[in-house]
Amino acid sequence: MALEETGYEKLVQEISSLFSGRAPPFLYINDPVSPRTTAHVVNSVLSSIAHSSDASSRVYHAQINAVACFNPRILYSTVLNQLAGWGVQWAQGSMNWGGERWSENLDGFVHGLKAVHSFIREKFLGSNKGKSKQTNDVTDLGQIVIVVERPERLSEQQVDILVPLTRLAELTQLDLSVILVSDVPWEDMRSPFGASPDPYYVDVLPLNKEALLRRLNAAFNGLSSGFESTTAANPYHPSLRSLYSQYLSVLLDSCSLYVQDPNELQYIAAARWPGFVKPILDAQNFRPDEDVDMDGNDEPALKPPPEDIRMRLIHWTMPPTGRHQMSQSQICLEIHRVKRNRCQTLVARPRSRTSDSLTCLACQKFILVAAYLASTNPHTSDVRMFGRGVDEKKRKRRPRKSTAKGGTTKASTERYVFLARIRSPLDRIIAILGALLEENDVDRRLPAPEYTIPGEQTDMEIARVGVYNAVIELADIGLLHRTSPSDKLDGPPTFKCGISYNTSAALARQLDVTLDDLLWDPA
Amino acid sequence: MSRHLEDIQQTAIYIPFDEDSDPDATVEPSFPSSNTAIDLDDGPRLRFEAYTAAWTQCLRRIKSIIAELYSPVVSAISDRMNNIHTDVLPGLPFPELPAITISDLAGGSVFLDHLSGRFDEDATFVNHLYPSDCLNLTSAMKNLIGGFIDRDPDAPKRKPTSLAPYDLNLLQAWYDVTKDPRPSLIVLLHDFEQFDTSVVQDIFYICSLQVERLPLTFMLSLSTPSSASYLQASFPRSTLTLLRVYHFVVPSGREVLHTLIFKTFFDPLCDFHLLPGPALLEYVEDYYTTHNPSLDALITLLQVAHLKHFTDVFTCLSTSTSFISSNPTASEQAFCTALLARLHPNKSKRNEGEWRAQARSPDILLQAVDRERTAFRRRATTIKMGVTLLNVILASLRGTAIDKALDRWRGAAGLRRVLDGDEAGVAGLADQLRKLPSADRDALLEKVETYLDDMPEALRPESGNGDLAGSLETFLSDLLEPPETLTPLWSIWYTGLTPFPSEMLNPALRPSILSGLSFPHSYTGQDLVLEDEETLEDLPDTSILFKGYVKAGKMINVYDWFDHFRTVLEGQRARAAKGKGKGKKVKDDGEEEDRWRLSVQARFIRALHELDYLGLMKHTSRGGGGRKGEYVLRTVLSVLE
């Protein structure tokens, strides 16, 4: 049995029994855990049937991925080329099989499929010419099978393809079967009004622990078979097989509760194994009578994966320890972290940046704070918050009302965090920026004797190209959200602030601005 | 020109104004001058040559320093590239797509240029993708594939029945027939933050499916300091699981700036034509930290500073003096007189003889300049040594108790404090040094001694008079004496306190437009007319209209505006007629008058549209006629005149 089929014996059996006779024209395989693995298994089963000795039960199959075939033309040409066993030749202008315009639309595709079918028949007849004359019957040829991975993308982006694809056998009048493999149930992606026929459902259950263990062990056996002849210490040496299965059972005991995807488990096992086995190999290497192994060639292989390259393991696992064996509790701790961090990543999905990544320029910091104020304060409050009399040298700071009562501060702070953001035109942000700079940045500026009127220098500063440039840059990296179409020339563009209260408060603190004093508090 | 137009890497192309559009005519570069009255005839050329020499030297130095700064990261990346597809952890469930993130806070192309310079052109194919290339998946894939296969000029022609140009199988077909050794394929995504994440997710997914047969490597150029957290925040886990990410951080920030400035201008072993003064240094630091941290901008800034410096008439003397003949022409005479006046700002009895001799013969005068130059060079070297010594001291005291107190001498801003004659210089350093614990002091002394051993004998301080900290401070302040005190000609080699022309790099848009409209002549270079006597009639049409705009209220009646405009034009016409004299009788026939009226209207409309394009007005429907109402709304109020 092929390596990728290990653990999926039930599915393998079901598929092969289906294709030993006439398989239904439309199959839907639903695997909510790991559709990628399932698709591999299906393909591997089909390939083994394709080479079976009995001509009538042979299949000719094509496997496509709906993400990679994001366009009908790619989908059609990929299917036809695979069915015909056609290798595209660069030297011949990367011609598709047949050289006809079969990939242009659905009609062409149907014709193409018929052409492929007769091509296959001719090839089959040609190879059987001498042996028997009675194989003229078309039904003996075997089935054409198209396996589609991630078909949910079709229902999102190429809806008009999905229905014909499910009815392909009807359309072509060929003995043909289409298999969709997805983690989404068919009910969620089927087209309305029953345009597609009901499929033959196959549900794949998550693997149990025993099957997982067999699967992962098989993976190790596949690896270690390459090292059988070597005597040098190596983490994948066959003699470590029993240790590996112990390691796996410890790993699965703790992980399988949370992670069921065999790919993920295989990844964790593969990434942790070198660190796990290192002490043993070290002990082996330092045996005084074995100086053959001291040549250091094995050293790179023994190193655990560097922390920074293993994105998935950054938070998930501890740095490899020199201890002899990772205890059960340590693994549990790791798994706990895995869970916690996964939740965090999921929550953090809406683009939010942590404040530590915000090390931008002073000018950008001021703009961000100004944008935050602009999108939190209502614009009617601007004159009162930032306006100043003509004769006043410095604006009188409004004494904060809420500082006296501790409770309200917290409540109002929380309100700001969840406050609906106001779109504000660029000019308003720039004007607030001017007010901020006038209050907080005057002392830091270079001396400029040419400006005599109070505030004139600020007016010049906020009109500079650099400021506009910084706004565009911030909008590009998503810290400001542009809310007006970018190709519109009429009127100023509008922006929303993309940072949270906490981040802007941190920025304001770096700039010595008291943000809370500038936030409009209607209470 | 055509070469630039075809280069797709160029984002902007400068087509110079060519009056007679004759491609063979070569235009002499005309270098501006601070004072044309005393400039030599070929002064602009001489100064341009001096500028070219100085800037080339400076740029070469900067480039070599940058290369040195970047080389550790560059070689780390290229080492990683060498085995990026072979050094794979065994036993993974499926192959991962290698991705290298380069986080360069400075942005710009300097680092990536260095990196691509490292790759062997024949063995490494780099495909540059920009956010605008990847607006949707189809165009992204098309550019990704086309960037590689279009290198082959005699690629077989593809027909409509061939693979689609956005089908990755096409790239696969191309890659399958490439000759051994197979090239490594790099897709470089510039400004990665600006890419649409959903498109990038799909690209990664599609490429990871084929990575085993088609070893692509992605390089992501980010300007976020922490690329790991950016990836975590922007991409779902399902995408991250496809990647094997290596992070690299390009050095940037203040440290880079300081290294560049010190090593370029204050290395005692480098004799430069130009020493930057406090004002320039301060501006550089300010611009770098508040506006633009890119090295491209820094280099441009220094280049502008050089250009500005060499507009000074006397800077043609910066390196050589052998250009004034013994029989001076009129302009040379004027130049010599001005130079003499500069050389002796206050004539005294003591140097009167010298003055006479120099006034008599240009040769003697120029010899005096040569002497001054040698003296200045020596002083410049001394200052550089002082700066280096100060840096040695500051570096060795990093992390000690008085580290914080020393911060004011650090960096380019610290340099300003040291070099500016009006500031305290290094005063107070001794007090700080006295506070040092003995262990730190010994370490410091050792460093200083090693440094002093390399110094020329003549410059070393006399040893030992007890108070070490005090003598160190005195020694330093002796070394760092501002160069203005040495020679009256210092401004040839030193920018001193001349402010940087910041309007050139970072102009204020709206104020510039408004002042350009108000004072057009000071922009067109015809500012020789005295401003006080300038009347409305001297101005171009748009400016005349703009003056009316400034005086008007919030709403402008277009007809009144036109009336005002016409009155001014009438005045202009009358003056022109007077200028020509009474000799030519002004014909008063109706036809001429009609033509004049029409031309006034046309000129008005043209000027009005120009202001309209500048966004200075908003049309209203007031007075009837929809958007063509009689009134327009001012969009710019309170214009300072």
Side-chain angles (χ1 to χ4, degrees), chain B residues 85 122 146 269 348 378 414 425 515 617 623:
Chain B
H85 282 284
D122 298 327
L269 300 177
S348 64
R378 210 177 305 121
S515 74
M617 65 183 80

Side-chain angles (χ1 to χ4, degrees), chain B residues 212-273:
Chain B
E212 249 176 324
R213 291 186 298 137
L214 184 64
L216 285 171
T217 306
F218 279 84
M219 266 192 200
L220 320 174
S221 151
L222 298 102
S223 54
T224 318
S226 161
S227 35
S229 70
Y230 176 80
L231 289 181
Q232 293 269 14
S234 316
F235 290 98
R237 220 178 63 82
S238 60
T239 302
L240 294 178
T241 50
L242 304 172
L243 302 178
R244 182 155 39 93
V245 190
Y246 303 90
H247 296 294
F248 291 93
V249 179
V250 178
S252 64
R254 244 170 235 261
E255 294 296 319
V256 170
L257 174 75
H258 295 165
T259 318
L260 265 177
I261 295 284
F262 283 126
K263 286 198 174 166
T264 311
F265 295 110
F266 294 97
D267 187 342
L269 300 177
C270 282
D271 190 12
F272 262 43
H273 302 303

Side-chain angles (χ1 to χ4, degrees), chain B residues 419-464:
Chain B
L419 290 177
D420 193 341
D422 299 335
E423 298 259 352
V426 286
L429 182 65
D431 291 341
Q432 296 296 338
L433 290 184
R434 285 190 195 104
K435 292 182 197 156
L436 268 185
S438 59
D440 289 336
R441 192 165 52 218
D442 291 346
L444 171 68
L445 276 181
E446 208 173 294
K447 289 263 174 56
V448 172
E449 257 171 42
T450 10
Y451 178 73
L452 289 181
D453 283 346
D454 298 337
M455 258 184 151
E457 196 76 45
L459 285 170
R460 276 187 220 168
E462 306 93 51
S463 54

